[in-house]
Amino acid sequence: LTFSHNINNVEQLSEGNYNWKDKQRSYISARGMVGQWTQYIEEGMPMGTWYLPHFVKMSSDGAFLYETATGGVTRDVLQAARKNVGSAVPKVNLGWSNTFAIYKNIDLSFSLRGVLGYKVYNVSNMYFSDPKLLPNLNANKQAMDWFEKKIDGTPTASDYWLEDGSFVRLDNLTLGYSLPNPMKLGINKLRVYLTGNNLLTITGYKGIDPELSYSGLEFGLDNFNVYPKTTSFTLGLQLNF
């Protein structure tokens, strides 16, 4: 069993070298959305802090309403107050690996891993939810719903697009069988095994994969750069002489 909990904090920035613009990080890279940033580097705050307008609700005429600094609401995202709305850094990493002799010469081993307590910005969902893509370009179901409801406007950066990235993944499962009395065949051990990798992922995240890189100054964006993990099976033979 493994458990880790990591904390980071920006203690100090070079004096005079960072203005408000320099501290803006994790820019969205999508057509029509260039210039929208999602994170902010500031002394006393951890790296990976989502610093975004807070989405309150949808108005009756289909406009996004955001919270202002005074506690009111506005449909103009430029007038909305940005705030700390979560972290891209997982609070907890868990792991459990074990091997069992389950029946006579049959063995079973597995590797289970959990990453909990962090948020992913789903840029892919944000982009493909734009009703302006229709009817000529690819879009998702939400864009179709908004198109029918005549909700207009390109989606803008806010915590509406943040999702809980927590997941539990079965990385590996192996079932093996060791032949009894292998010395009759002139060998010390003969074992046949079947291994499956990336068999199961339990998560509420709606994107392709919640597992992103957590290194560097900017991370946590699912920005068209997540390649689906494949599931593979291996049938093997282990011989010991």
Side-chain angles (χ1 to χ4, degrees), residues 47-166:
M47 298 299 301
T49 297
W50 298 112
Y51 201 66
L52 292 161
H54 172 55
F55 169 78
V56 178
K57 63 178 180 179
M58 197 81 73
S59 69
S60 58
D61 60 346
F64 280 74
L65 298 181
Y66 307 99
E67 186 176 352
T68 65
T70 58
V73 295
T74 177
R75 63 179 61 204
D76 183 0
V77 71
L78 296 178
Q79 301 300 317
R82 286 184 179 255
K83 58 170 61 177
N84 182 343
V85 290
S87 175
V89 180
K91 293 181 180 179
V92 173
N93 289 269
L94 302 169
W96 181 18
S97 299
N98 216 331
T99 299
F100 301 93
I102 57 175
Y103 180 74
K104 293 185 178 180
N105 298 318
I106 300 175
D107 61 87
L108 178 71
S109 63
F110 68 89
S111 179
L112 192 67
R113 185 165 50 91
V115 182
L116 311 174
Y118 71 106
K119 293 183 179 180
V120 175
Y121 196 101
N122 196 338
V123 180
S124 302
N125 187 38
M126 175 182 176
Y127 174 75
F128 287 109
S129 293
D130 187 352
K132 287 184 177 179
L133 296 175
L134 298 170
N136 299 317
L137 299 174
N138 289 333
N140 60 23
K141 185 178 183 302
Q142 184 163 261
M144 295 174 63
D145 293 339
W146 288 352
F147 184 81
E148 293 174 355
K149 295 176 182 177
K150 302 192 183 306
I151 295 176
D152 197 10
T154 300
T156 54
S158 74
D159 63 355
Y160 180 88
W161 308 104
L162 273 184
E163 297 184 35
D164 182 7
S166 300

Side-chain angles (χ1 to χ4, degrees), residues 4-241:
S4 66
H5 171 60
N6 302 303
I7 300 173
N8 81 87
N9 188 62
V10 178
E11 295 292 336
Q12 186 176 6
L13 294 171
S14 301
E15 243 181 84
N17 291 338
Y18 289 88
N19 56 34
W20 170 262
K21 189 75 174 176
D22 296 326
K23 298 175 183 178
Q24 298 171 3
R25 296 285 172 161
S26 294
Y27 280 83
I28 293 171
S29 177
R31 184 173 60 180
M33 300 179 183
V34 176
Q36 300 191 48
W37 56 280
T38 60
Q39 294 182 0
Y40 190 67
I41 299 177
E42 180 66 291
E43 294 179 2
M45 293 172 57
M47 298 299 301
T49 297
W50 298 112
Y51 201 66
L52 292 161
H54 172 55
F55 169 78
V56 178
K57 63 178 180 179
M58 197 81 73
S59 69
S60 58
D61 60 346
F64 280 74
L65 298 181
Y66 307 99
E67 186 176 352
T68 65
T70 58
V73 295
T74 177
R75 63 179 61 204
D76 183 0
V77 71
L78 296 178
Q79 301 300 317
R82 286 184 179 255
K83 58 170 61 177
N84 182 343
V85 290
S87 175
V89 180
K91 293 181 180 179
V92 173
N93 289 269
L94 302 169
W96 181 18
S97 299
N98 216 331
T99 299
F100 301 93
I102 57 175
Y103 180 74
K104 293 185 178 180
N105 298 318
I106 300 175
D107 61 87
L108 178 71
S109 63
F110 68 89
S111 179
L112 192 67
R113 185 165 50 91
V115 182
L116 311 174
Y118 71 106
K119 293 183 179 180
V120 175
Y121 196 101
N122 196 338
V123 180
S124 302
N125 187 38
M126 175 182 176
Y127 174 75
F128 287 109
S129 293
D130 187 352
K132 287 184 177 179
L133 296 175
L134 298 170
N136 299 317
L137 299 174
N138 289 333
N140 60 23
K141 185 178 183 302
Q142 184 163 261
M144 295 174 63
D145 293 339
W146 288 352
F147 184 81
E148 293 174 355
K149 295 176 182 177
K150 302 192 183 306
I151 295 176
D152 197 10
T154 300
T156 54
S158 74
D159 63 355
Y160 180 88
W161 308 104
L162 273 184
E163 297 184 35
D164 182 7
S166 300
F167 69 90
V168 175
R169 172 167 284 155
L170 181 59
D171 285 326
N172 177 280
L173 182 68
T174 297
L175 181 66
Y177 173 75
S178 297
L179 187 72
N181 301 318
M183 294 299 294
K184 293 180 180 179
L185 301 176
I187 56 178
N188 294 326
K189 182 177 182 179
L190 189 154
R191 178 174 172 267
V192 180
Y193 64 89
L194 177 64
T195 296
N197 293 304
N198 189 38
L199 294 177
L200 175 68
T201 301
I202 301 173
T203 183
Y205 183 63
K206 298 176 183 177
I208 292 176
D209 193 334
E211 187 170 13
L212 307 175
S213 171
Y214 312 121
S215 61
L217 298 179
E218 304 172 65
F219 49 89
L221 288 178
D222 181 352
N223 202 155
F224 309 105
N225 54 2
V226 178
Y227 192 82
K229 287 182 173 61
T230 58
T231 297
S232 63
F233 296 92
T234 303
L235 180 62
L237 181 65
Q238 178 185 349
L239 297 173
N240 293 351
F241 294 95

